[in-house]
Amino acid sequence: YLCRKLREINSHNSTTGEPSEGQWVTLVIPWLELEEDRLELYGSDNQFANQTAQEQYIRAWLRDEAGMPDEADEASGLRILWYPSRYHP
């Protein structure tokens, strides 16, 4: 569903069927600022030193595991926006 919806939004206006300008899907993700929060939530196998490393992991997963290479493209695919957060189990 995500793949289909993302392509629909990024490439066509859903009401007219015409290509649309400036409409992109943005994935808004919490950035766990404390290393111990990231360790507790993601485990030791998936430690990200910074947002860039985590974004690279997400884009690789989209491309390699989800079969969404267009959406994984940093220039023309899914946009990723981070906000600072804490993990509270």
Side-chain angles (χ1 to χ4, degrees), residues 40-86:
E40 185 172 346
L41 185 62
Y42 303 127
S44 59
D45 291 341
N46 291 312
Q47 279 298 297
F48 307 105
N50 53 48
Q51 296 169 358
T52 302
Q54 189 167 355
E55 182 171 336
Q56 289 171 345
Y57 175 86
I58 292 167
R59 292 187 186 284
W61 183 88
L62 283 169
R63 183 182 57 251
D64 303 334
E65 301 296 325
M68 299 171 70
D70 294 338
E71 290 77 6
D73 185 85
E74 191 172 344
S76 62
L78 184 70
R79 294 187 324 173
I80 297 177
L81 177 66
W82 300 93
Y83 65 91
S85 65
R86 288 285 319 267

Side-chain angles (χ1 to χ4, degrees), residues 16-37:
T16 66
E18 297 296 318
S20 54
E21 297 288 328
Q23 292 185 6
W24 299 101
V25 172
T26 301
L27 180 62
V28 181
I29 305 174
W31 171 250
L32 298 173
E33 295 181 306
L34 299 178
E35 184 177 356
E36 62 257 25
D37 286 350

Side-chain angles (χ1 to χ4, degrees), residues 6-22:
L6 182 61
R7 286 183 181 142
E8 176 185 318
I9 291 170
N10 283 352
S11 64
H12 292 88
N13 181 311
S14 60
T15 56
T16 66
E18 297 296 318
S20 54
E21 297 288 328

